[in-house]
């Protein structure tokens, strides 16, 4: 399998190169040259396959000969070593709970898969690879955890001191071993700027093997297909496939689901549920794509003003708006509606949503009003405890803290404080080698 750049200027690459490079040199996103087609037999008998087998079948054509079978099977099973249950909320609405992984959000799946692929690709390299990331909170935790104890890889995470939640900070700073947390005396933008400078510093890059764990990396994007297939496996009414609603920010998650659909996964329709950052809902109305400055909302992991993965959805539909419209709808949900949904679903159904899941729930519910014969699944992308500051005042009670988080909070924080100064970062990185 080869990957081409959506900007069409860079040469095609293998899965290995696409994983190591992240972004194509022409600043495009890598996209698979062919979409694999899964056999009818497999789809019809999906309930008889283990999750490991399903995930392996889905990803193998994309990886092709870049990773041998036994290694890829190991990577896949380590990626999905937690529950992904489909939970009934109402007669028509089901929640696909993606928050049972180590950092309580769906990004665990992509981060765990990518880290292990990268670990495999660099295992014979003379140098250690250093994964460098700036985080405003969430992504860093998933990346740190994903790469934890992966041989040959050191992870350096920059986060703004005092500007991430206490749980998020513990997720970054308590792992130790090959995970290094740099507590920057500045803002998230400062962290991002320092990382950018490190990547363009020739002297540093001649000495070190630096890479990013960007969310556009194919090895983070493609494995997100897995749980759409797991959802279908658990779907009872195979004659009436589900509508699938995905709380969306950068549109990597929903794009993975649509890729699965293109490979033969039965789905009635997709809904991209957005918050006030309504670039795609507007596009689906007007066919005009107008990026905007992101606005802050309660579902802050979706505060994106120029969703980088949307171009992959357009690519999947060969830029044919009419074809896309048949498969995808998109909706925008306000913070007031988000809070009201958390409250009413808790009161009426006894199910606790996080703000991102609430955006998904409401968009799905509104859609189903017009299609009463259909049923649907929304993706619950994070555990409500991650957003307790939003959720607790709305429901008027405490959100129970899962055991894994209680243990993490007790652990001792280990970080290195640095100033907003490229030379301090450079010195730290050079010493790691
Ligand atoms: C990242 C994230 C999203 C958005 O996913 P995209 O793939 O960027 O569309 C939604 N919910 C949560 C909790 C997230 O962390």
């Amino acid at each position: 399998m080869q990957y081409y750049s959506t900007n069409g200027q860079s040469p095609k690459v293998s899965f290995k190169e696409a994983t190591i490079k992240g972004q194509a040199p022409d600043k495009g996103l890598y996209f698979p040259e062919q979409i694999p087609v899964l056999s009818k037999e497999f789809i019809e008998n999906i309930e008889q396959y283990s999750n490991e087998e399903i995930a392996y079948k889905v990803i193998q054509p994309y990886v092709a000969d870049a990773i041998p079978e036994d290694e890829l099977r190991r990577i896949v099973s380590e990626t999905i070593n937690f529950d992904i249950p489909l939970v009934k909320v109402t007669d028509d609405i089901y929640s696909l709970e993606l928050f049972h992984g180590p950092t309580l959000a769906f990004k665990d799946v992509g981060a765990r898969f990518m880290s292990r692929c990268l670990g495999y690709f660099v295992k014979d390299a003379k140098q250690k690879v250093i994964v460098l990331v700036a985080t405003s909170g969430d992504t860093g935790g998933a990346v740190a955890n994903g790469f934890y104890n992966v041989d040959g890889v050191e992870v350096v995470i920059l986060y703004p001191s005092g500007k991430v939640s206490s749980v998020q900070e513990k997720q970054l700073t308590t792992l130790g071993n090959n995970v290094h947390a740099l507590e920057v005396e500045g803002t998230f933008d400062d962290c991002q700027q320092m990382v950018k400078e490190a990547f363009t510093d020739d002297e540093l890059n001649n000495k070190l093997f630096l890479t990013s764990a960007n969310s556009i990396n194919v090895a983070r994007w493609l494995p997100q297909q897995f749980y759409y297939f797991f959802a279908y496996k658990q779907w009872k009414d195979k004659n009436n496939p589900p509508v699938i609603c995905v709380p969306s920010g950068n549109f990597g998650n929903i794009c993975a689901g649509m890729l699965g659909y293109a490979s033969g996964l039965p789905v009635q329709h997709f809904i991209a549920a957005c918050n006030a950052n309504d670039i795609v809902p507007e596009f689906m109305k007007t066919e005009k794509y107008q990026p905007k400055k992101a606005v802050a909302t309660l579902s802050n992991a979706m505060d994106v003003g120029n969703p980088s993965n949307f171009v992959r959805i357009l690519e999947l539909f060969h830029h044919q708006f009419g074809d896309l419209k048949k498969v995808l709808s998109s909706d925008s949900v306000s913070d007031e509606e988000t809070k009201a949904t958390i409250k009413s679903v808790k009161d009426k159904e006894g199910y606790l949503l996080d703000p991102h899941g609430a955006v998904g729930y409401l968009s799905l519910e509104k859609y189903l009003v017009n299609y009463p014969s259909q049923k649907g699944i929304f993706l619950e992308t994070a555990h409500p405890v991650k957003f307790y500051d939003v959720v607790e005042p709305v429901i008027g009670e405490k959100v129970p803290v899962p055991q894994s988080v209680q243990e993490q909070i007790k652990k001792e924080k280990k970080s290195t404080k640095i100033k907003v100064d490229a030379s301090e970062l450079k010195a730290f990185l050079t010493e790691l080698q």
Side-chain angles (χ1 to χ4, degrees):
M1 173 77 79
Q2 297 271 97
Y3 293 79
Y4 63 87
S5 165
T6 51
N7 282 352
Q9 303 298 312
S10 300
K12 288 177 189 164
V13 296
S14 67
F15 178 76
K16 175 176 174 173
E17 260 183 276
T19 299
I20 291 173
K21 283 206 168 80
Q23 191 160 34
D26 64 5
K27 305 271 182 258
L29 272 63
Y30 284 119
F31 196 86
E33 208 172 25
Q34 300 103 27
I35 309 297
V37 179
L38 292 156
S39 78
K40 255 192 128 119
E41 187 277 332
F42 169 64
I43 298 294
E44 282 169 7
N45 298 299
I46 194 161
E47 287 172 32
Q48 279 146 44
Y49 289 86
S50 66
N51 281 2
E52 280 80 8
E53 192 62 34
I54 292 170
Y56 178 77
K57 274 199 154 49
V58 168
I59 204 73
Q60 201 285 327
Y62 290 101
V63 176
D65 53 8
I67 302 177
E69 176 168 350
D70 54 338
E71 284 289 335
L72 185 58
R73 284 189 185 275
R74 175 188 60 81
I75 291 172
V76 161
S77 79
E78 288 178 14
T79 299
I80 51 164
N81 67 349
F82 48 85
D83 287 345
I84 304 187
L86 186 66
V87 175
K88 183 172 176 172
V89 181
T90 73
D91 283 344
D92 300 333
I93 298 182
Y94 290 71
S95 169
L96 184 66
E97 295 186 346
L98 300 176
F99 57 70
H100 297 280
T103 71
L104 313 182
F106 81 90
K107 291 191 178 72
D108 280 330
V109 173
R112 290 170 80 74
F113 186 80
M114 180 191 161
S115 60
R116 283 158 179 79
C117 291
L118 199 59
Y120 175 78
F121 292 141
V122 303
K123 79 175 168 21
D124 297 324
K126 287 185 198 70
Q127 279 181 309
K128 279 185 182 168
V129 55
I130 299 175
V131 175
L132 188 59
V133 264
T135 186
S136 55
D138 238 24
T139 308
V143 170
N145 227 292
F147 280 96
Y148 179 54
N149 280 347
V150 172
D151 280 343
V153 183
E154 299 288 325
V155 186
V156 177
I157 305 210
L158 282 74
Y159 73 96
S161 181
K163 295 194 178 65
V164 303
S165 79
S166 57
V167 174
Q168 285 173 339
E169 183 169 43
K170 290 280 171 132
Q171 286 179 340
L172 301 172
T173 58
T174 59
L175 291 164
N177 197 4
N178 64 330
V179 177
H180 312 273
L182 294 184
E183 188 174 350
V184 178
E185 291 166 359
T187 62
F188 171 59
D189 288 336
D190 294 326
C191 297
Q192 225 170 6
Q193 187 56 34
M194 287 167 76
V195 165
K196 263 194 199 153
E197 279 175 36
F199 280 122
T200 52
D201 184 321
D202 288 337
E203 192 197 349
L204 201 56
N205 285 276
N206 285 336
K207 264 195 269 180
L208 307 176
F209 184 171
L210 287 182
T211 185
S212 72
N214 207 300
S215 66
I216 57 163
N217 195 298
V218 293
R220 270 185 70 178
W221 171 49
L222 295 170
Q224 299 178 113
Q225 293 176 88
F226 296 165
Y227 40 75
Y228 291 88
F229 286 86
F230 303 163
Y232 185 65
K233 177 182 166 180
Q234 297 172 74
W235 188 253
K236 293 278 181 303
D237 191 0
K238 296 280 196 283
N239 293 323
N240 189 16
V243 174
I244 297 187
C245 180
V246 187
S248 296
N250 244 330
F251 280 72
N253 197 4
I254 191 169
C255 183
M258 296 177 92
L259 193 63
Y261 169 76
S263 289
L265 180 73
V267 178
Q268 197 81 242
H269 193 72
F270 284 93
I271 304 167
C274 298
N275 56 30
N277 294 284
D278 62 352
I279 292 79
V280 173
E282 281 301 305
F283 174 80
M284 294 310 295
K285 263 187 233 148
T286 63
E287 211 184 328
K288 289 203 183 73
Y289 185 84
Q290 287 173 316
K292 296 180 202 164
K293 206 168 150 27
V295 296
T297 73
L298 298 178
S299 46
N300 59 28
M302 310 188 328
D303 294 348
V304 179
N306 187 9
S308 48
N309 271 295
F310 192 64
V311 62
R312 283 185 166 137
I313 293 184
L314 297 176
E315 198 69 23
L316 192 57
F317 286 83
H318 309 287
H319 297 262
Q320 298 300 309
F321 186 67
D323 293 344
L324 176 60
K325 239 182 129 87
K326 285 185 205 138
V327 181
L328 179 71
S329 303
S330 191
D331 195 14
S332 163
V333 169
S334 71
D335 277 354
E336 286 315 307
E337 290 173 307
T338 303
K339 285 197 267 188
T341 303
I342 293 172
K343 174 111 183 79
S344 72
V345 174
K346 173 76 168 61
D347 290 347
K348 276 199 223 132
E349 318 297 345
Y351 191 83
L352 186 57
L353 296 161
D354 96 293
H356 306 78
V359 169
Y361 183 98
L362 183 63
S363 299
L364 177 58
E365 188 179 55
K366 284 203 279 185
Y367 179 87
L368 292 178
V369 168
N370 294 321
Y371 298 90
S373 66
Q374 299 182 8
K375 297 178 185 220
I377 296 170
F378 70 96
L379 273 49
E380 181 42 296
T381 49
H383 193 292
V385 81
K386 290 194 100 163
F387 301 93
Y388 68 92
D389 51 335
V390 176
V391 173
E392 287 180 351
V394 170
I395 61 170
E397 54 184 91
K398 287 260 173 220
V399 183
V401 179
Q403 187 66 28
S404 61
V405 176
Q406 289 181 23
E407 277 158 29
Q408 194 142 34
I409 293 172
K410 281 189 226 137
K411 289 191 183 151
E412 191 194 342
K413 162 182 158 182
K414 285 200 193 86
S415 68
T416 306
K417 278 211 172 179
I418 67 169
K419 299 218 164 55
V420 181
D421 179 352
S423 64
E424 279 198 40
L425 176 60
K426 208 163 157 172
F428 186 88
L429 293 174
T430 311
E431 269 177 34
L432 273 184
Q433 196 56 43

